[in-house]
Amino acid sequence: MIVQQTASWLWRGVNQLLWPAVCLNCGRGIVEADGHLCRLCWDDLLSRAAGSPCPRCGRDTSRYGMLQGACGACRGEPLQFDGIARAGVYGGVMQELILRFKNGCTDLDSVMATLIAATFDGSGWGSGVDMVVPVPLHWRRRLARGYNQSAILAKSLRAGGLSLSADLVRIRHTKQQPAMVSAASRRRNVAGAFVVRRGHRFAGRRICLVDDVKTTGATLNECARVLKEAGAARVYGAVLAVAGQGN
Ligand SMILES: [Zn+2]
Ligand SMILES: [Zn+2]
């Protein structure tokens, strides 16, 4: 009897090791078909993705709040990128997953790749894009973290036949700013932080910048400005989540 029980525990233990059928977010048991997350976590994640984003800035809006392609929050805001698509809004399970993804949980790579691919495909401009560019980390931060999460996302989009360039680089170690900091201060923080490498192939390209989170958009805006200065024809942004609705 005891032997049988032990064998069954052992079998379950080995099975768990081979097929860790637990939710990557909350640790609840799942069936394989659930795709790494439990039903509750998927429901929360999908609810964050349910809103109707402004195609210009990515903030939640309603289609009645749009005027000449801009929502109330971004109307009059000078934006260098030509459009933005996002998987959802930053919060709940979306936020927890992004934080885990940034902090070394490589098991989440496939979930995040699915989210960014769906975002790109649903953007309306994805079919016109011919190059993906990750928002770069400063080498010092990449060294500390071991990888750039935006590069993982960008690489997963390359599977669709897009070229990938790492010729946009961050030359200044910018301060990480809390969400409450003003838009003007964020703009100052990233001004001059990015350059393109000599020999880049950005001229005439239709580029999709890839990042995990857009807060005020100052980083994406500065990257898009630098890419356009280098000759890019169009620059769009694809992000997992938009934070700080700013209204
Ligand atoms: Zn869960
Ligand atoms: Zn907007």
Side-chain angles (χ1 to χ4, degrees), residues 53 55 82-86 116-129 206 208 234 236-238:
D82 298 283
I84 190 159
R86 47 80 159 165
I116 204 75
T119 304
F120 183 81
D121 292 343
S123 66
W125 40 254
S127 58
V129 163
R206 294 182 305 273
C208 174
R234 287 268 185 282
Y236 303 96

Side-chain angles (χ1 to χ4, degrees), residues 108 131 163 176 178 181 185 225:
L108 279 171
M131 181 183 267
S163 65
Q176 269 185 322
V181 167
S185 155
R225 190 188 68 72

Side-chain angles (χ1 to χ4, degrees), residues 56-58 78-86 125 133-136 150 168 170 186-187 190 194 207-228 235-242:
R56 185 169 183 261
C57 72
L79 297 181
Q80 300 289 331
F81 46 86
D82 298 283
I84 190 159
R86 47 80 159 165
W125 40 254
V133 176
V135 168
S150 304
L168 177 69
R170 195 187 287 249
R186 280 179 178 271
R187 271 197 298 276
V190 292
F194 302 93
I207 296 171
C208 174
L209 276 165
V210 181
D211 208 357
D212 53 352
V213 181
K214 166 190 179 273
T215 307
T216 59
T219 300
L220 277 177
N221 218 35
E222 182 63 8
C223 288
R225 190 188 68 72
V226 170
L227 289 173
K228 285 197 167 167
V235 181
Y236 303 96
V239 297
L240 292 173
V242 169

Side-chain angles (χ1 to χ4, degrees), residues 73-141:
C74 72
R75 206 166 295 145
E77 200 181 346
L79 297 181
Q80 300 289 331
F81 46 86
D82 298 283
I84 190 159
R86 47 80 159 165
V89 291
Y90 197 59
V93 171
M94 180 71 85
Q95 180 170 350
E96 286 162 29
L97 289 178
I98 291 173
L99 290 175
R100 282 171 205 270
F101 178 55
K102 274 165 98 135
N103 289 296
C105 182
T106 51
D107 288 345
L108 279 171
D109 288 6
S110 65
V111 176
M112 295 319 202
T114 307
L115 284 180
I116 204 75
T119 304
F120 183 81
D121 292 343
S123 66
W125 40 254
S127 58
V129 163
D130 54 21
M131 181 183 267
V132 284
V133 176
V135 168
L137 285 182
H138 187 262
W139 65 266
R140 214 183 307 162
R141 187 163 293 157

Side-chain angles (χ1 to χ4, degrees), residues 34 40 60 68 89 111 113 171 208 233:
D34 282 330
L40 288 174
D60 257 352
Q68 290 170 336
V89 291
V111 176
I171 51 167
C208 174

